[in-house]
């Protein structure tokens, strides 16, 4: 007999949002199409992993960091405490964002609808790491 829990934790290496919704969409942990106000109402004052594309962003890492900074400001303004792997990578000159270490500190994951998020390995890693740790994951308007 197939154990669905172990299957749900066997995240594909490449982004597969259909698979993710099939296994995790029935839980309360994966919330797609929510607004930032919805997230703020549930998570105000808590630490968010702001999952945005970086190394694989279509416009390059400088533009990726600009978008991440813009969203970090929006999350802060909504009363959330954002940690952004993309901003950290940019500030340190890293070629890719270190998602796993940020996810260890964060209490939930927020994915804004930035171009390229669906294909981003870094966003996928943040979402999978968050779900594996049983943290809520929010795909903001346009997500999923």
């Amino acid at each position: 007999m197939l154990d669905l829990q172990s299957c749900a934790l066997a995240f594909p290496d490449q982004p597969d949002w259909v698979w993710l919704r099939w296994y995790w969409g029935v839980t309360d942990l994966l919330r797609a199409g929510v607004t930032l106000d919805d997230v703020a109402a549930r998570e105000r004052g808590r630490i968010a992993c702001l999952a945005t594309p970086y190394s694989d962003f279509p416009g390059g890492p400088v533009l990726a960091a600009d978008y991440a900074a813009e969203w970090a400001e929006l999350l802060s303004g909504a009363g959330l405490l954002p940690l952004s792997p993309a901003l950290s990578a940019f500030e340190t000159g890293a070629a890719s964002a270190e998602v796993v270490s940020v996810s260890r500190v964060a209490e939930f994951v927020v994915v804004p609808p930035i171009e390229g998020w669906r294909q981003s390995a870094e966003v996928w890693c943040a979402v999978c790491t968050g779900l594996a740790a049983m943290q809520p994951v929010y795909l903001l308007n346009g997500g999923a």
Side-chain angles (χ1 to χ4, degrees):
M1 177 172 213
L2 189 60
D3 178 13
L4 290 180
Q5 183 176 3
S6 64
C7 290
L9 292 173
F11 297 100
D13 293 334
Q14 299 299 314
D16 186 345
W17 298 98
V18 172
W19 176 91
L20 193 76
R21 280 192 309 254
W22 195 88
Y23 279 102
W24 290 92
V26 297
T27 72
D28 195 34
L29 292 176
L30 180 64
R31 295 171 181 256
V34 297
T35 66
L36 183 53
D37 289 340
D38 294 335
V39 177
R42 292 180 62 98
E43 307 289 351
R44 188 172 316 279
R46 298 182 74 209
I47 302 170
C49 173
L50 175 58
T52 59
Y54 179 68
S55 63
D56 50 6
F57 187 68
V62 174
L63 188 56
D66 286 346
Y67 278 117
E70 191 175 305
W71 275 98
E73 187 175 324
L74 290 170
L75 266 64
S76 292
L80 305 171
L81 304 170
L83 294 178
S84 171
L87 278 177
S88 295
F90 181 73
E91 290 171 359
T92 61
S96 62
E98 176 51 49
V99 175
V100 176
S101 58
V102 170
S103 295
R104 287 187 192 124
V105 176
E107 299 171 278
F108 63 99
V109 178
V110 174
V111 180
I114 295 174
E115 177 186 358
W117 74 266
R118 285 179 183 89
Q119 298 80 28
S120 173
E122 291 153 332
V123 170
W124 180 251
C125 180
V127 168
C128 294
T129 302
L131 290 173
M134 299 301 158
Q135 297 173 341
V137 172
Y138 299 96
L139 307 177
L140 298 184
N141 304 16

